[in-house]
């Protein structure tokens, strides 16, 4: 048990970091104010003075992960695609490093400074590409939801277990490679390549296609 500390020395950032450690190591059910108080050496009410409830705390944890991603982005990069790609990749890395937490917050709207900064970066980039108004808003949300859905998918895959996921992956070089050509001619046309496509390829292609579409829409507006 942590030693009791001086009253008033507890900060939101410290609570968030410890909450992240507990949730990632022990799961969401273990993340209680009593458990946090024990880990931090304070009464549970001391944590409640900073966060009104568990959901408020979880949103702050999500913002912390997004802050980590934003720290890796060059906001002064002149190329709009590079800025967006950098944020997408960094967000993916940050969330996938904490899969249990990612499952809890990937589908949430954080309503925190970090989220506003990320949104402003992406929307500004899309405006630079030539998108405006509702179109810029729609493409922005599509990009964000794609990245977050990707991280949630990756996190959920980890929950299934490495052995099962490995068997699923081998299907591309086993079952798909030997399907009957007369029944599935189109699969056979690409079967030898299916196993070569990994999650990195898929992520880069998905985001790249979205940015290609945004660029094409922007050119159409000029």
């Amino acid at each position: 048990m942590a030693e009791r500390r001086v009253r008033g020395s507890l900060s939101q950032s410290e609570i968030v970091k410890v909450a992240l450690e507990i949730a990632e190591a022990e799961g969401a059910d273990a993340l209680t104010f009593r458990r946090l108080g024990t880990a931090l050496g304070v009464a549970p009410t001391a944590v409640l003075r900073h966060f009104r409830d568990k959901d408020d705390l979880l949103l702050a944890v999500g913002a912390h992960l997004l802050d980590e991603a934003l720290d890796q982005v060059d906001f002064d990069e002149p190329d709009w695609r590079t800025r967006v790609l950098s944020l997408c990749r960094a967000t993916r890395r940050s969330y996938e490093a904490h899969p249990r937490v990612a499952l809890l917050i990937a589908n949430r709207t954080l309503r925190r400074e970090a989220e506003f900064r990320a949104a402003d970066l992406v929307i500004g980039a899309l405006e630079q590409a030539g998108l405006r108004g509702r179109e810029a808003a729609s493409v922005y949300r599509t990009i964000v939801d794609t990245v977050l859905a990707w991280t949630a998918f990756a996190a959920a895959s980890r929950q299934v277990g490495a052995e099962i996921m490995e068997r699923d992956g081998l299907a591309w070089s086993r079952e798909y490679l030997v399907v009957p050509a007369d029944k599935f001619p189109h699969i056979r046309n690409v079967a030898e390549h299916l196993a070569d496509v990994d999650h990195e390829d898929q992520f880069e292609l998905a985001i790249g296609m979205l940015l290609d579409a945004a660029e094409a829409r922007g050119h159409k507006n000029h």
Side-chain angles (χ1 to χ4, degrees), residues 1-218:
M1 179 174 175
E3 294 183 4
R4 290 291 168 179
R5 58 197 297 159
V6 177
R7 182 178 176 86
S9 63
L10 188 63
S11 68
Q12 281 197 5
S13 61
E14 186 178 3
I15 296 170
V16 166
K17 288 177 182 178
V18 173
L20 176 60
E21 292 170 0
I22 292 172
E24 197 54 49
E26 304 173 32
D29 290 343
L31 186 57
T32 65
F33 286 103
R34 182 178 297 278
R35 176 74 176 83
L36 272 169
T38 299
L40 290 162
V42 299
T45 52
V47 181
L48 278 165
R49 281 196 286 271
H50 291 274
F51 299 98
R52 63 179 177 273
D53 54 29
K54 183 175 177 177
D55 192 62
D56 188 37
L57 174 60
L58 283 174
L59 294 179
V61 170
H64 173 75
L65 294 185
L66 190 52
D67 265 325
E68 288 185 343
L70 287 164
D71 286 343
Q72 303 172 51
V73 178
D74 180 5
F75 278 69
D76 295 323
E77 163 60 50
D79 181 67
W80 71 270
R81 286 183 67 115
T82 301
R83 291 200 306 279
V84 175
L85 275 171
S86 177
L87 177 59
C88 291
R89 290 165 178 161
T91 302
R92 177 191 169 196
R93 287 193 298 269
S94 182
Y95 276 45
E96 287 190 4
H98 305 282
R100 279 182 161 178
V101 174
L103 277 175
L104 297 172
I105 50 88
N107 67 331
R108 301 298 304 279
T109 303
L110 302 177
R111 310 186 291 279
R112 301 294 195 279
E113 180 77 12
E115 187 174 70
F116 299 147
R117 289 177 62 209
D120 202 61
L121 182 149
V122 177
I123 294 169
L126 295 175
E127 288 178 341
Q128 187 179 342
L131 303 185
R132 297 290 183 271
R134 192 182 192 284
E135 188 172 41
S138 181
V139 173
Y140 154 69
R141 292 192 60 176
T142 300
I143 291 172
V144 170
D145 286 352
T146 299
V147 174
L148 295 180
W150 190 274
T151 64
F153 175 81
S157 296
R158 290 195 186 189
Q159 298 297 309
V160 172
E163 185 178 343
I164 293 175
M165 292 308 301
E166 184 179 359
R167 286 204 303 269
D168 285 354
L170 288 173
W172 300 114
S173 57
R174 292 179 178 173
E175 288 86 351
Y176 270 80
L177 197 60
V178 296
V179 296
D182 58 333
K183 289 184 66 176
F184 307 106
H186 304 298
I187 291 178
R188 287 301 297 269
N189 287 341
V190 300
E192 63 182 295
H193 304 292
L194 288 172
D196 297 333
V197 179
D198 60 21
H199 290 300
E200 196 68 34
D201 296 325
Q202 292 170 287
F203 181 79
E204 291 293 322
L205 180 60
I207 300 303
M209 289 173 68
L210 286 173
L211 298 186
D212 287 344
E215 191 167 22
R217 285 171 174 264

